[in-house]
């Protein structure tokens, strides 16, 4: 299954060079309504991502935080896709543990102090910048260490937190991302759990922001 959007590269290039779009947004072209809504609250932007997705990395550096910042009151909910990457399932467990810890401490997942964010970018940089593959699925301890070291969490504390019902609940929620990723790959942005943004139609940061704002009103 192809999990990279074929349109993503073009979107990023267009954004970098500054083209703006003021076109009206239409269902089927700019967004689609999901048959199975995601389990999230209103005013939420979900980003389905994978540590092994290069465009997910680029979006998180240049797009995601800026869109969330621009839209007043917008909540951000990353869903890690466990079916992509040799360590997809383990990655989801690590991210879920750290996300729950951040939530309990009242730290935004976009904040520089977020343990989730620290681990996410450690994996992004190792995988995409340094071509680290942790023996192609044969070094679970090495993969785990990369994320936990970045977050400053011991393996013992990680394993203990992994038993928290909140972590299990979050992982179950993230399983919903598979059906979304099948539509056009990752990264996949979903507004209010219902509307999947078609990245082929977005030509600028402002355009994406406007589309998110419009879909929040539906």
């Amino acid at each position: 299954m192809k999990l990279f959007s074929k349109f993503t590269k073009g979107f990023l290039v267009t954004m970098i060079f500054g083209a703006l779009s003021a076109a009206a947004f239409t269902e089927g072209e700019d967004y689609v309504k999901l048959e199975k809504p995601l389990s999230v609250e209103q005013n939420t932007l979900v980003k389905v991502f994978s540590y092994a997705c290069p465009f997910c990395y680029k979006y998180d550096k240049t797009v995601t935080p800026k869109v969330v910042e621009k839209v007043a009151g917008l909540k951000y909910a990353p869903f890690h896709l466990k079916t992509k990457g040799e360590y997809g399932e383990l990655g989801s467990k690590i991210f879920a543990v750290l996300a729950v810890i951040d939530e309990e401490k009242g730290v935004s997942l976009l904040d520089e102090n977020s343990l989730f964010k620290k681990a996410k970018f450690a994996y992004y940089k190792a995988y995409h910048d340094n071509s680290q593959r942790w023996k192609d699925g044969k070094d679970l301890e090495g993969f785990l260490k990369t994320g936990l070291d970045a977050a400053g969490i011991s393996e013992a504390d990680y394993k203990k937190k992994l038993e928290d019902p909140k972590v299990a609940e979050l992982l179950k929620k993230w399983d919903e991302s598979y059906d979304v990723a099948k539509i056009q790959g990752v990264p996949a942005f979903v507004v209010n759990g219902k509307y999947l943004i078609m990245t082929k139609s977005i030509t600028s940061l402002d355009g994406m922001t406007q589309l998110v704002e419009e879909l929040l009103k539906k």
Side-chain angles (χ1 to χ4, degrees):
M1 180 180 68
K2 183 178 180 182
L3 293 176
F4 289 163
S5 167
K6 64 182 179 181
F7 308 110
T8 301
K9 185 176 181 180
F11 169 44
L12 288 170
V13 170
T14 304
M15 283 188 60
I16 290 171
F17 290 100
L20 297 177
S21 173
F25 302 117
T26 58
E27 185 172 355
E29 290 293 326
D30 302 297
Y31 66 92
V32 295
K33 188 173 182 179
L34 298 176
E35 294 183 5
K36 299 178 181 179
L38 299 177
S39 302
V40 295
E41 300 176 354
Q42 289 293 102
N43 299 317
T44 297
L45 176 66
V46 169
K47 180 191 176 186
V48 179
F49 78 103
S50 165
Y51 77 88
C53 163
F55 297 116
C56 295
Y57 181 21
K58 292 178 181 178
Y59 267 80
D60 274 343
K61 288 192 295 185
T62 62
V63 180
T64 312
K66 293 181 181 179
V67 170
V68 176
E69 180 182 359
K70 281 176 170 285
V71 181
L74 185 64
K75 302 170 186 175
Y76 168 62
F79 279 38
H80 186 256
L81 184 67
K82 73 178 184 181
T83 57
K84 181 170 180 57
E86 296 286 350
Y87 296 99
E89 188 167 356
L90 177 57
S92 285
K93 291 178 180 178
I94 296 167
F95 289 135
V97 164
L98 299 178
V100 168
I101 293 175
D102 282 338
E103 180 183 13
E104 291 175 345
K105 292 182 177 180
V107 178
S108 166
L109 300 186
L110 292 172
D111 192 280
E112 292 302 319
N113 292 318
S114 163
L115 303 186
F116 171 89
K117 182 175 181 179
K118 289 178 180 180
K120 180 177 64 174
F121 274 92
Y123 285 122
Y124 277 154
K125 291 174 182 178
Y127 192 92
H128 302 290
D129 295 344
N130 301 323
S131 299
Q132 173 65 269
R133 293 298 182 269
W134 302 276
K135 299 180 181 179
D136 297 319
K138 299 177 182 178
D139 185 14
L140 292 171
E141 287 298 320
F143 183 85
L144 179 63
K145 187 175 188 300
T146 296
L148 298 187
D149 282 357
I153 297 294
S154 70
E155 185 172 348
D157 287 342
Y158 158 74
K159 289 182 176 179
K160 181 179 179 180
K161 194 64 179 177
L162 190 59
E163 301 301 317
D164 189 325
K166 293 180 183 178
V167 173
E169 181 180 352
L170 186 57
L171 287 170
K172 183 178 180 180
K173 183 184 295 186
W174 286 0
D175 283 344
E176 299 172 9
S177 64
Y178 179 76
D179 287 336
V180 176
K182 289 193 299 183
I183 298 174
Q184 66 167 0
V186 290
F189 291 93
V190 181
V191 179
N192 280 352
K194 302 176 184 177
Y195 304 105
L196 172 65
I197 292 176
M198 305 302 289
T199 52
K200 66 179 180 180
S201 69
I202 305 300
T203 58
S204 71
L205 178 61
D206 285 343
M208 182 173 180
T209 300
Q210 291 164 13
L211 177 52
V212 169
E213 290 175 333
E214 180 170 315
L215 293 175
L216 286 172
K217 299 173 184 178
K218 289 184 172 293

